[in-house]
Amino acid sequence: HDAEIKLVFGNSSGKYEAEIVGLEYNKTYYVRAYVSGESGTRYGEALSFTTKKAGNGEGYTEDDYEW
């Protein structure tokens, strides 16, 4: 079953980051940014990443995912 998770990051332009926990390893996830305003909703490019097998518990960086 696919689930949709929506993260909200305020109302200004700029760079946004999020830490998402509880992902399954060796699974492909899809992400896409969007903005909604008076002129409608615009969507960014859809990206995907595949999580790798669990590591040593020291956390992950973007190098741990296949984009």
Side-chain angles (χ1 to χ4, degrees):
H1 175 73
D2 291 336
E4 182 177 311
I5 298 171
K6 182 178 180 180
L7 304 173
V8 179
F9 293 103
N11 58 4
S12 63
S13 64
K15 179 180 178 180
Y16 293 96
E17 296 182 22
E19 178 179 343
I20 304 172
V21 297
L23 301 179
E24 296 177 38
Y25 75 88
N26 198 31
K27 184 171 181 177
T28 299
Y29 291 89
Y30 301 88
V31 296
R32 180 168 67 166
Y34 73 95
V35 61
S36 291
E38 291 180 13
S39 61
T41 302
R42 302 185 104 173
Y43 294 92
E45 178 184 0
L47 302 173
S48 66
F49 64 93
T50 301
T51 54
K52 293 184 178 180
K53 189 172 181 180
N56 58 10
E58 293 183 14
Y60 295 100
T61 68
E62 67 182 42
D63 293 332
D64 292 317
Y65 302 103
E66 298 171 9
W67 294 89

